[in-house]
Amino acid sequence: MSKTIIVSNRLPISLRHRNGRFEFKPSAGGLATGLGSIYKEGENIWIGWPGNTVDDPEQRAEIILELHELKMAPVFLSKADVEEFYEGFSNETLWPAFHYFTQYMVYNPEHWEAYVRVNQKFCDAILKKAGPDDTIWVHDYQLLLLPQMLREVLPNATIAFFQHIPFPSYEIIRMIPWRKELLAGMCGADLIGFHTYDDMRHFLSAVGRINGLSSESGYIQAENRIINVDSFPMGIDYDKFAKQAKSKRTLRFVEEFGKQVEGQKLLLTIDRLDYSKGIPQRIQAFNQLLEQHTELQGKVSMIMIVVPSRDKVQSYKELKEEIDLLVGRINSEFSTLNWVPVHYFYRSFPFEELSAFYNMSDIALVTPLRDGMNLVCKEFVASKTDQTGVLILSEMAGASKELQDANLVNPNDRQGVVDAIYNALSMPLAEQKARMKSMQESLKKYDVFQWVKVFMDRLDHVKQKQEELTSKDVDTKVMNEIQASFKKAKKSILFLDYDGTLTGFHSDPQKASPDAELRGIVKDLSEVSQVVIISGRDKDTLGEWFKGQNIDMIAEHGVWVKRKEDQGDWELYAEIDDTWKGDIRKIMEYYVLRTPGAFIEEKHHSLVWHYRKVESGLGDLRMRELFSHLKYMARGYNLQVLEGNMVLEIKRPDINKGRAATAMMKGMEYDFILAIGDDWTDEDTFKAMPKNAYSIRVGYAYTKANFNIKSVKQVRQLLQKLTS
Ligand code: GDG
């Protein structure tokens, strides 16, 4: 039976030293709750670091046993691992980069080495538990390399990745010296999830630009499979918060705390200590509110909970000092004997007390400068069971995409935040209720259990889709079958497309000439079979490249044919009608002038606009513009506009490779036919093939061909096998 393995840097427990012994404290975090429905089932398991270093082998063995009971397995990290991998690369390079704090980024090769080393440690720990068909769900930015490390050992496993923090623009990612390795690491997964659409689109753009992997509608075409990238906004355990807020214990705290701040409006802020959360900026906004609206002094106070976090990292130490200073300043300036503006707690609270704070506060001020999602704002809304209260939420939090009924603010616009607080303090009850109601309905529906379900369903869907695409894979068995059939044949013909099939793509199309290996393959084949190179290339180039070879050639998708027995001359298969070219060329030239790197190739029956060398992104944009422009023109001339690999081609519709291939076979009896190609122009060839032919498409796109093959390398292997 296959099982599911959850992997995150931290296990959902904390291991603590107490009186020379270790004890576990379970974490009640949202992720632990949501994934509880998975890892507690059957043989499933959660693998991660227990949060403390343990050097003694006996103690380790004891911990392994105890965690086993809780359906967890530890990855033990050394002190150096924690310093260099966790505090170092994860929190001093990736965290600031991904939250747009480039000024805090550290580029330390030793930290990078530790990151690779620890990801490998996780991989080894997983491999001890994982079977070849298991599902492995990896979480977050500390483990970006892990999906690919796992894929190499378990090629058929179902691997998913979810990133809890933002994924920034390509402009930031490109700053990291190890960007390519990081992205390739993530691409080991079958499904890659983010909180928001923006994160997902940034990721797709980075993977396209940095790793050269193109994508369409959230599907990346990797070498041998498709990868789905999608957004899955994470929810909370809504009922747990709603129920707790009404519980007796919490209500007792509400009463008790309420006495201390009687008659005051309460603003609540809760965050881990982190510069991404905008804590100093929030204190400054509150300060400005008290200065501008002096009548509020003595009437409004802020409850500020800062949960200690990463305090060994320098930027966090400095942040803590800054917050202490700002709170000291505002309190010393405005406090009276019976009023303190900021009640500041640098610690965490038990769940019942946290719930009481949510329950009793009038306003939640959630103003991070950048946040992947932010669960605090959702927990506040779920806890307001009487539907009063106002949520002020930063546009920079992922949650703002969902909670449009919050008062959205730009955290960098201090006056905007001040005004939002002022307006919230006087918001009519009916409006408060209407906004709360709408947000609660949405949060109830998209809770954390729903999040897990939707994610897992999507993972099944991707696997199914991959299976559909690889069901026709040319594996060893199929290769042997093709070889046997070829050997048996008395008269055979091979239709071989050139670019993307026999050779890879090159930024300069003229430089993709056949190498020695390819020339050897074609020569060997031509001695035992009829070989037809069937290409969109112009006849002069093909003629030059295959000079002296005993083969047939079809150039320009079937405009020109050169039979081997003709020894020299190209035959025109289709009449040339050039009258349209002048007008169309003018338009194409206009797009060349506007697009550095683009150029036009003129063939006898077509014009091709190339954009392989254009700045990525711009090329696509211009191609789309040109496409719609040409489509309009094409109707008048009865032409066809076709999109190819980094090219746009306009040609006569009745000329295609299928027509040429059919003409080539006319009147002949073949007992072995093979056609291989990699793009839509080859689909015409596949369609024209008789039933007994082997047709193969390179790559894993939907196709009329009977088979798919992974790469140019494999095409060459297959062809070599035919003559071996
Ligand atoms: C990362 C991303 C994304 C806080 N104080 C106490 C306490 N908490 C709990 C809250 C909440 C959690 O901590 C904080 O979660 P956030 O989502 O707000 O922020 P991060 O820790 O930065 O989380 C973030 C998240 O991952 C999930 O994908 O939303 O964007 O940065 O659940 O309730 N809990 C208790 N006492 C406290 O004093 N018991």
Side-chain angles (χ1 to χ4, degrees), residues 164 195 270 272 277 307 348-349 371-375 379:
H164 291 263
H195 282 305
I270 301 180
R272 259 186 326 96
K277 305 286 182 182
V307 181
S348 66
F349 286 85
D371 217 335
M373 170 53 66
N374 192 292
L375 300 179
E379 295 166 2

Side-chain angles (χ1 to χ4, degrees), residues 29-30 95 99 140 162-166 195 234 241 270-272 277 305 307 310 347-351 354 358 371-377 379:
W95 180 277
H99 287 85
D140 231 359
F162 188 82
Q163 178 153 310
H164 291 263
I165 65 173
H195 282 305
M234 185 176 162
F241 282 90
I270 301 180
D271 312 87
R272 259 186 326 96
K277 305 286 182 182
I305 299 172
V307 181
R310 303 175 195 173
R347 60 184 151 100
S348 66
F349 286 85
F351 182 51
L354 185 80
Y358 282 142
D371 217 335
M373 170 53 66
N374 192 292
L375 300 179
V376 166
C377 61
E379 295 166 2

Side-chain angles (χ1 to χ4, degrees), residues 511-669:
K511 287 201 178 132
S513 58
D515 53 28
E517 181 188 68
L518 180 58
R519 273 185 269 122
I521 293 173
V522 173
K523 183 170 177 296
D524 292 348
L525 285 171
S526 67
E527 284 166 9
V528 289
S529 173
Q530 182 177 355
V531 176
V532 187
I533 301 286
I534 181 163
S535 166
R537 289 240 176 209
D538 66 90
K539 70 178 186 359
D540 298 335
T541 306
L542 278 191
E544 182 60 32
W545 284 354
F546 290 98
K547 205 180 195 162
Q549 295 261 26
N550 194 23
I551 58 168
D552 297 313
M553 282 179 273
I554 295 174
E556 293 190 28
H557 303 114
V559 175
W560 297 97
V561 173
K562 183 174 183 301
R563 292 183 180 268
K564 58 183 176 192
E565 58 267 26
D566 290 345
Q567 296 299 331
D569 281 343
W570 286 89
E571 183 190 330
L572 193 59
Y573 251 34
E575 243 174 65
I576 294 183
D577 167 18
D578 264 354
T579 49
W580 55 274
K581 278 191 179 162
D583 288 349
I584 300 285
R585 183 178 256 284
K586 259 191 229 143
I587 296 167
M588 283 190 164
E589 266 163 6
Y590 171 66
Y591 283 83
V592 168
L593 281 179
R594 290 173 61 210
T595 318
F599 62 93
I600 298 168
E601 180 189 7
E602 177 160 355
K603 297 187 188 173
H604 287 91
H605 81 299
S606 72
L607 284 175
V608 191
W609 193 80
H610 287 258
Y611 65 99
R612 189 174 300 281
K613 290 202 239 171
V614 175
E615 177 189 355
S616 87
L618 179 67
D620 273 316
L621 178 80
R622 289 283 193 269
M623 186 274 284
R624 295 265 148 249
E625 274 182 66
L626 178 60
F627 193 93
S628 59
H629 202 152
L630 288 181
K631 238 167 96 179
Y632 173 73
M633 299 278 296
R635 259 180 259 148
Y637 289 103
N638 189 26
L639 295 166
Q640 189 183 23
V641 192
L642 296 163
E643 200 188 319
N645 194 308
M646 300 289 189
V647 296
L648 197 65
E649 179 151 13
I650 183 157
K651 69 177 197 47
R652 271 175 44 188
D654 55 335
I655 295 169
N656 64 54
K657 288 180 177 176
R659 178 176 171 268
T662 308
M664 182 68 84
M665 291 188 289
K666 202 168 169 197
M668 306 288 224
E669 287 281 323

